[in-house]
Amino acid sequence: MRHPFLVPDYPHFLHGGDYNPEQWLATPEILAEDLRLAKLAGVNSWSVGIFSWAALEPEEGHFTFDWLDGVLEKMAAAGMKAVLATPSGAKPNWMAAKYPEIRRVQASGNREPQGGRHNHCFTSPVYREKVSLINTRLAERYQNHPALGVWHLSNEYSGECHCPLCKDAFRLWLQKKYGTLEKLNHAWWSAFWSHSYTAWEQIDWLDGSVHGFLLDWRRFTSDQTADFIRCEAAPLRRLTPNIPITTNLMGGFFPLDYRRLAKELDLVSWDNYPAYHSRENMAAIASGTGFTHDLMRGLKRGRPFMLMESSPSAVNWMAINKLLRPGVHRLKSLQAVAHGADSVQYFQYRKSRGSCEKFHGAVVDHVGHEHTRVFGEVAQVGKDLKKLEKVLGSTVPAEVAILYDWENRWILEEAAGPRKGLYDAYVDDHYRVFWRRGVSVDIVSAEDDLSGYRLVVAPMLYMLKPGVAESLQGFVEKGGTLFGGFLSGISDENDLVFLGGWPGPLRKLYGVWAEEIDYLYDDESNRLVPAEGCPFKSEAKARLACDLIHAESAKVLATYGDDFYAGRPVLTVNAFGQGKAYYLAARIEAAGLDELLGGIAGELRLKRALECHLPEGVTAQLRGDGKEEYIFVMNFTGQEKAMELPKGFFADLLEGGSVSGRLSLGAYGCRVLARSG
């Protein structure tokens, strides 16, 4: 299938970046030069207005749009599209001084001073009124402007506030959810340590010992952020109903549940800054980046997303800010497209002269001309995107879903007992198995519809919300394959543990009873001994966590080899309806997991982008529309790699002509092949 273009009636990739013309108002010749350079680089869009509130409203009620009028008029004349931002991410000094209530309060009770950004109270009626007013003025002025392509709400929503307004809002949120304190006390199990609440006003400070409280506070913070987004978007939706609305998310950002925020957006966009210059294995970083691209795409169930920010060179905020090696910028840009991006945009277009981001990478460096290595690489991406326009709107066809849940992640980091930091790393271990084989993956919620998948992977599904167990059972009953394991089915949505044996409501589905779990020291391990019918043949090693389980209706495929639980089941499979459910009771090393999950993928004959051997560090990712397929073959190593393609001919979208037989990829190389589906 084909999805709509990001900008209605604009059949092009958006290529551009954050541009701050308000920083250059004293030098109008800069704007003229930047337009010339944009054309040379194939840049067709700028994100403008993101931190412009002081330039748009220098005094309360006094609006100055003339400078922005000129920018947008020149962009329209050049055929460019504006990603026009609302300026709420950084409030002006006059506002912070006159209305101190809009400044956030820390958990300690101290009100934050003005400074930095993203430091406003989402609950404040004053701030909401001011935001609504400036957004209304922007929408009224530019609603019919030919340059207007997409609305960009604020910037990187984040943070929380503990002011009296937010505490009152939280209490109202809780009253709406629970109705009575009796129900709240039960859900929070607040009789523990005598923390039962007898009045709503007693819910006044964040109690980290009550996990239900922590979960609800984070849910409230996410909901309050989403409600602020609705407030921001309201005048834009009323005055410009046909202009899509987005905001730049931050990948797997921990504190906010992005699925709640995504419901308020027309398009998902995110800011991608992988550490491709680091000393870590580049392929491992590439796999993690691919996971996050797929996570962001999954927020809108497969609709192409916007790569809102990326750096064409070094950033300025890492411990060591190394330059990207030649070719890496092009590779990571096309990687985003391979996973569903219909834009490649940068922070920033022109480097600032001063303040904290003056050394952050940009398309136009301080030297101010096109004769730089980075500008040349950006221009190459611009040329590539023009050649790939037939890819626009196509989707990523996936037969595999990996379940990922922000709330599950929250509680696993808070629950006393389980090892910290396991969840994200273990999910990524599973994802990389498919990434290495060029098997497309959707990252979805456990509450999403699973009916279109053949394999569902559910690592560490600790928290089971209502309906999830039934959904997984229905998926397997109808012929699906489920792969899960340790730390699954432990608690309900309030972190009240299930009684009667783990994995709780999933016990019948997996056919096992998990009695206890052993957490290992970093230098400890246990062996996995395969039995007949096991998907892996060699002994693998278990590390960090070992679930001690009993096989009830499940068939044992491997057992532990060491310690007092030697001989106990570690890998099982349970026939359930027309499908089956695998339970892996330990975190095993990557090589063992690769052999295990790879064996299951082979048994299911899951569709691969290319049915051939992919060299180490090379992946193939697939986009398609049901009629034609687009295969992105990417080399995330600094060495040349070669491979034998499947039989047949492929069109080469970047280099022209056709390709068959042997395909060579230079260091950090990428080829985009097309074939009829």
Side-chain angles (χ1 to χ4, degrees):
M1 65 175 292
R2 290 274 178 179
H3 292 273
F5 300 127
L6 297 179
V7 177
D9 301 319
Y10 193 73
H12 309 288
F13 283 92
L14 292 184
H15 184 222
D18 284 20
Y19 184 47
N20 306 106
E22 68 273 16
Q23 296 180 18
W24 307 98
L25 295 181
T27 52
E29 66 276 9
I30 290 287
L31 176 58
E33 179 65 358
D34 283 338
L35 287 164
R36 183 188 73 85
L37 293 170
K39 186 174 182 179
L40 288 179
V43 164
N44 61 12
S45 71
W46 282 335
S47 302
V48 294
I50 297 172
F51 297 117
S52 302
W53 203 333
L56 294 170
E57 191 181 6
E59 300 175 15
E60 186 172 18
H62 174 59
F63 298 95
T64 53
F65 291 105
D66 291 352
W67 66 270
L68 185 55
D69 292 345
V71 172
L72 294 180
E73 287 166 9
K74 290 179 173 62
M75 289 180 66
M80 299 176 67
K81 288 295 180 181
V83 179
L84 184 55
T86 63
S88 67
K91 58 191 183 298
N93 287 333
W94 63 259
M95 190 183 297
K98 185 172 182 179
Y99 303 103
E101 70 147 58
I102 70 176
R103 306 199 313 261
R104 285 180 184 163
V105 171
Q106 299 168 346
S108 63
N110 296 321
R111 191 172 293 278
E112 295 180 357
Q114 169 70 342
R117 57 178 184 164
H118 308 310
N119 49 13
H120 49 272
C121 171
F122 286 132
T123 305
S124 165
V126 172
Y127 198 63
R128 289 184 174 219
E129 178 186 349
K130 294 298 183 184
V131 168
S132 181
L133 177 59
I134 188 74
N135 291 3
T136 299
R137 292 295 186 95
L138 284 166
E140 288 174 341
R141 194 172 188 93
Y142 302 116
Q143 57 186 322
N144 297 314
H145 201 289
L148 179 60
V150 177
W151 284 112
H152 180 322
L153 296 181
S154 195
N155 182 74
E156 295 181 340
Y157 288 105
S158 59
E160 59 186 46
C161 178
H162 298 266
C163 75
L165 292 170
C166 288
K167 289 182 178 179
D168 285 343
F170 180 46
R171 296 183 193 111
L172 289 173
W173 186 92
L174 292 171
Q175 290 175 39
K176 183 178 180 180
K177 179 176 181 178
Y178 293 108
T180 67
L181 283 170
E182 181 182 14
K183 291 181 178 178
L184 178 143
N185 281 318
H186 175 76
W188 288 4
W189 212 248
S190 55
F192 179 77
W193 284 355
S194 196
H195 285 182
S196 298
Y197 295 93
T198 56
W200 295 101
E201 291 72 25
Q202 294 168 7
I203 304 171
D204 187 52
W205 55 87
L206 195 57
D207 190 341
S209 67
V210 180
H211 291 160
F213 192 148
L214 278 174
L215 280 169
D216 275 339
W217 172 255
R218 289 203 171 119
R219 288 166 179 151
F220 162 76
T221 301
S222 295
D223 281 351
Q224 198 71 345
T225 305
D227 189 64
F228 185 82
I229 289 174
R230 280 193 294 274
C231 173
E232 279 234 52
L236 312 181
R237 295 200 182 281
R238 175 170 52 86
L239 294 165
T240 57
N242 297 320
I243 303 298
I245 294 174
T246 191
T247 190
N248 50 333
L249 305 178
M250 293 177 283
F253 184 62
F254 181 79
L256 293 176
D257 183 348
Y258 276 165
R259 289 197 172 93
R260 295 174 185 245
L261 271 59
K263 294 176 182 178
E264 310 303 326
L265 306 173
D266 301 315
L267 302 171
V268 164
S269 63
W270 82 285
D271 299 345
N272 177 41
Y273 294 101
Y276 279 140
H277 62 276
S278 75
R279 290 178 170 173
E280 294 181 50
N281 183 323
M282 186 174 178
I285 298 172
S287 171
T289 303
F291 172 87
T292 312
H293 283 314
D294 291 345
L295 174 65
M296 294 294 98
R297 188 186 71 248
L299 295 179
K300 282 295 181 184
R301 297 311 306 267
R303 180 169 183 179
F305 60 92
M306 297 177 68
L307 181 65
M308 183 64 79
E309 289 185 21
S310 62
S311 178
S313 184
V315 297
N316 71 326
W317 44 266
M318 294 183 181
I320 302 295
N321 296 298
K322 283 184 69 66
L323 297 176
L324 294 176
R325 305 296 96 175
V328 173
H329 168 63
R330 182 192 190 214
L331 176 60
K332 70 181 178 67
S333 298
L334 294 178
Q335 180 190 24
V337 176
H339 287 267
D342 275 2
S343 77
V344 175
Q345 296 157 277
Y346 312 112
F347 183 84
Q348 47 194 330
Y349 180 75
R350 175 180 279 271
K351 280 187 177 178
S352 172
R353 285 196 68 186
S355 294
C356 64
E357 290 178 323
K358 61 182 175 292
F359 294 125
H360 192 289
V363 177
V364 181
D365 212 325
H366 292 131
V367 70
H369 58 59
E370 67 269 32
H371 307 296
T372 65
R373 178 181 68 89
V374 170
F375 189 93
E377 292 210 14
V378 170
Q380 180 60 55
V381 171
K383 293 174 183 176
D384 290 339
L385 294 178
K386 288 182 180 178
K387 295 176 182 178
L388 295 177
E389 286 185 346
K390 64 191 306 185
V391 177
L392 281 166
S394 62
T395 189
V396 175
E399 296 178 327
V400 180
I402 294 180
L403 305 188
Y404 183 88
D405 187 84
W406 268 269
E407 296 186 16
N408 194 59
R409 183 183 175 203
W410 292 340
I411 197 58
L412 279 166
E413 289 302 308
E414 296 293 346
R419 286 190 59 139
K420 310 302 182 189
L422 282 180
Y423 184 62
D424 276 3
Y426 197 47
V427 171
D428 191 62
D429 285 349
H430 289 73
Y431 179 84
R432 192 173 180 197
V433 173
F434 303 104
W435 183 90
R436 290 183 67 248
R437 288 165 172 77
V439 175
S440 297
V441 175
D442 282 344
I443 312 299
V444 302
S445 164
E447 298 160 281
D448 285 332
D449 179 14
L450 304 176
S451 60
Y453 302 105
R454 298 180 60 208
L455 172 64
V456 169
V457 180
M460 295 176 65
L461 192 58
Y462 173 99
M463 178 192 295
L464 287 181
K465 300 174 187 175
V468 169
E470 293 79 4
S471 173
L472 292 173
Q473 288 172 3
F475 167 75
V476 177
E477 277 181 330
K478 294 175 183 176
T481 298
L482 174 66
F483 186 92
F486 72 95
L487 275 176
S488 293
I490 306 298
S491 76
D492 68 8
E493 72 276 17
N494 298 307
D495 196 32
L496 296 183
V497 299
F498 294 115
L499 304 180
W502 297 332
L506 299 177
R507 182 171 173 177
K508 183 178 179 182
L509 175 58
Y510 282 121
V512 301
W513 165 39
E515 181 178 1
E516 52 186 339
I517 188 166
D518 190 20
Y519 295 104
L520 308 186
Y521 294 114
D522 289 348
D523 60 351
E524 286 187 303
S525 65
N526 202 315
R527 292 177 299 122
L528 274 66
V529 182
E532 184 179 352
C534 184
F536 62 91
K537 305 306 177 187
S538 57
E539 287 191 356
K541 286 188 177 180
R543 293 190 180 275
L544 304 183
C546 295
D547 218 354
L548 277 59
I549 65 173
H550 301 266
E552 295 181 322
S553 60
K555 176 184 177 182
V556 177
L557 298 177
T559 57
Y560 288 110
D562 301 312
D563 214 331
F564 72 91
Y565 41 93
R568 295 277 293 269
V570 64
L571 175 65
T572 63
V573 63
N574 191 47
F576 194 88
Q578 300 176 53
K580 51 189 174 182
Y582 290 88
Y583 190 96
L584 178 60
R587 183 183 180 182
I588 63 176
E589 292 180 331
L593 186 64
D594 184 82
E595 187 178 4
L596 171 55
L597 259 183
I600 294 171
E603 180 184 303
L604 292 173
R605 296 186 178 181
L606 297 174
K607 182 178 177 64
R608 301 173 63 195
L610 287 173
E611 293 292 342
C612 65
H613 172 71
L614 297 174
E616 187 66 29
V618 173
T619 188
Q621 297 295 321
L622 181 66
R623 288 183 67 167
D625 62 2
K627 297 179 181 178
E628 193 164 24
E629 295 179 334
Y630 312 105
I631 305 149
F632 292 71
V633 192
M634 296 167 283
N635 177 14
F636 289 94
T637 76
Q639 297 82 40
E640 182 176 351
K641 299 283 184 175
M643 51 192 289
E644 290 295 327
L645 294 172
K647 291 182 179 180
F649 290 85
F650 299 83
D652 191 327
L653 297 186
L654 294 180
E655 299 186 14
S658 62
V659 180
S660 65
R662 189 173 179 83
L663 178 70
S664 294
L665 293 167
Y668 312 124
C670 179
R671 303 284 286 275
V672 183
L673 311 179
R675 68 184 171 198
S676 297

